[in-house]
């Protein structure tokens, strides 16, 4: 299987800077506690590292939550395994994930965060694959790129644990 570039690293970098500026403008101020960024792992690790540093806010907290629905394949199993959410009561929470696919992961985590008493919840994804949406509660307020129904790797996204290190976002071609 060979990676083919779908979105090069420089386009990702410039879009992430734009997202950071928009999010900071929308979510700045008016709260006692700083914005809490809830980063979904493993796939979101590159995106959240860059997005957090593109947020021109004086104070931001970052927490991490491991989620899994793919179990090494290229299709969602339909079951979203996830860790319990950290303490979010009364907080404004920005969930950050690599990709919005069926929507199950964001719907599940958003529900957990709301049940844990967050005052406001927003979601930001680098990629959106609307063609595969199943759960309408899995929606994002901020989207980097809308892409077709292809399995993507690189910039944190993997296939069976490989390719996360690639700086470009790539499609995995057979052969
Ligand atoms: P759902 O279906 O819950 O999916 O919206 C979100 C999670 O599924 C993973 N995912 C992918 N991972 N390439 C990947 O490496 C893909 O094309 C892809 N599509 C979905 C990802 O972990 C995301 O958090």
């Amino acid at each position: 299987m060979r990676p083919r570039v779908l979105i090069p690293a420089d386009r990702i970098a410039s879009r992430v800077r734009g997202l950071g500026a928009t999010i900071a403008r929308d979510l700045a101020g008016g709260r006692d506690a700083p914005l809490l960024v809830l980063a979904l792992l493993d796939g979101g690790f590159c995106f959240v590292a860059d997005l957090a540093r593109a947020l021109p806010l004086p104070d931001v907290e970052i927490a991490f939550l491991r989620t899994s629905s793919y179990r090494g394949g290229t299709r969602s199993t339909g079951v979203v395994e996830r860790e319990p959410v950290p303490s979010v009561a009364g907080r404004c929470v920005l969930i950050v994930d690599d990709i919005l696919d069926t929507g199950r992961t964001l719907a599940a985590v958003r529900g957990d965060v709301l049940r844990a008493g967050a005052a406001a919840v927003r979601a930001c994804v680098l990629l959106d694959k609307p063609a595969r949406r199943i759960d309408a509660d899995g929606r994002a307020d901020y989207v980097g790129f809308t892409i077709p129904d292809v399995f993507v790797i690189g910039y944190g996204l993997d296939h069976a644990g490989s390719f996360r290190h690639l700086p470009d976002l790539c499609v995995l071609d057979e052969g």
Side-chain angles (χ1 to χ4, degrees):
M1 290 197 272
R2 282 174 297 110
R4 171 172 54 85
V5 175
L6 183 69
I7 307 174
D10 58 340
R11 267 190 75 205
I12 298 174
S14 125
R15 184 69 186 115
V16 171
R17 280 194 297 274
L19 283 172
T22 304
I23 291 168
R25 194 188 57 227
D26 289 357
L27 304 184
R31 283 183 299 276
D32 297 334
L35 175 68
L36 176 60
V37 170
L38 185 58
L40 306 192
L41 300 177
D42 298 335
F45 82 97
C46 287
F47 179 43
V48 78
D50 289 341
L51 182 67
R53 288 176 294 172
L55 287 173
L57 293 171
D59 196 2
V60 172
E61 278 182 31
I62 306 179
F64 302 91
L65 193 78
R66 210 158 197 187
T67 65
S68 168
S69 55
Y70 269 58
R71 291 187 167 276
T74 59
R75 289 285 161 187
S76 168
T77 60
V79 178
V80 182
E81 294 169 16
R82 57 202 190 274
E83 295 177 325
V85 294
S87 172
V88 296
R91 303 291 298 272
C92 177
V93 178
L94 177 70
I95 303 168
V96 175
D97 201 3
D98 51 358
I99 183 165
L100 176 54
D101 189 353
T102 63
R104 290 188 183 113
T105 301
L106 268 190
V109 174
R110 184 193 297 273
D112 290 351
V113 169
L114 285 170
R115 278 189 293 277
V121 186
R122 301 283 183 274
C124 175
V125 294
L126 178 69
L127 306 165
D128 184 9
K129 265 193 226 178
R132 297 204 356 109
R133 196 79 78 255
I134 288 170
D135 194 327
D137 285 340
R139 58 185 182 281
D141 304 277
Y142 306 97
V143 172
F145 301 95
T146 299
I147 62 168
D149 183 12
V150 288
F151 192 79
V152 284
I153 53 161
Y155 194 66
L157 290 99
D158 74 308
H159 179 253
S162 289
F163 306 114
R164 292 191 198 275
H165 69 298
L166 298 175
D168 305 308
L169 218 257
C170 300
V171 177
L172 209 47
D173 285 333
E174 301 286 333

